[in-house]
Amino acid sequence: MNPEKKRRLEKKGWRVGSAEELLELTPDQAAIVELRLRLADAVKLLRKEKQLTQAQLAALLGSSQSRVARVEAASDSVSLDLLIRSLLAMGATTRDLAEVIGHSARAS
């Protein structure tokens, strides 16, 4: 955040901090959230690269389109297992998974 904007917000009584601070996440919890977000982004990106619809990916997984939508939204109702299986079902390799896991920031 722009330091000037932060200063103005704090001057008006706003508390400025990270999502981790707001949600009182431990470092481990924050790391899991970040991992979930990175995997979800990777699923959506690979699905689009493969020119698959959510319904087509759902068929590959033996699941539903709405479940794939939750996968791509990084819903906490979706297991890390399903996120990984989604990538593998589209042909991602273990090297691809390592690359996703190793990224330090979420691609928006």
Side-chain angles (χ1 to χ4, degrees):
M1 173 181 288
N2 175 319
E4 176 59 25
K5 183 175 183 178
K6 180 179 178 183
R7 186 191 62 74
R8 284 182 301 179
L9 288 170
E10 288 173 336
K11 185 176 178 181
K12 292 184 179 190
W14 289 92
R15 189 172 137 215
V16 180
S18 69
E20 290 84 7
E21 293 168 336
L22 175 69
L23 298 173
E24 298 178 351
L25 298 176
T26 66
D28 290 344
Q29 291 169 323
I32 292 292
V33 169
E34 181 64 28
L35 176 60
R36 180 179 298 283
L37 293 171
R38 281 184 265 146
L39 288 168
D41 286 344
V43 168
K44 186 174 185 176
L45 180 65
L46 186 56
R47 179 183 61 78
K48 288 182 175 188
E49 283 177 9
K50 299 281 186 178
Q51 299 182 341
L52 295 171
T53 64
Q54 287 182 343
Q56 289 169 323
L57 176 54
L60 283 174
L61 295 169
S63 191
S64 66
Q65 177 275 324
S66 61
R67 191 79 176 141
V68 171
R70 286 192 295 273
V71 165
E72 292 182 359
S75 170
D76 61 358
S77 70
V78 173
S79 68
L80 290 174
D81 176 72
L82 182 56
L83 286 160
I84 292 168
R85 282 192 303 116
S86 298
L87 290 164
L88 295 173
M90 290 186 288
T93 65
T94 53
R95 182 179 298 260
D96 296 330
L97 291 175
E99 211 171 287
V100 170
I101 292 168
H103 277 255
S104 60
R106 182 175 187 202
S108 303

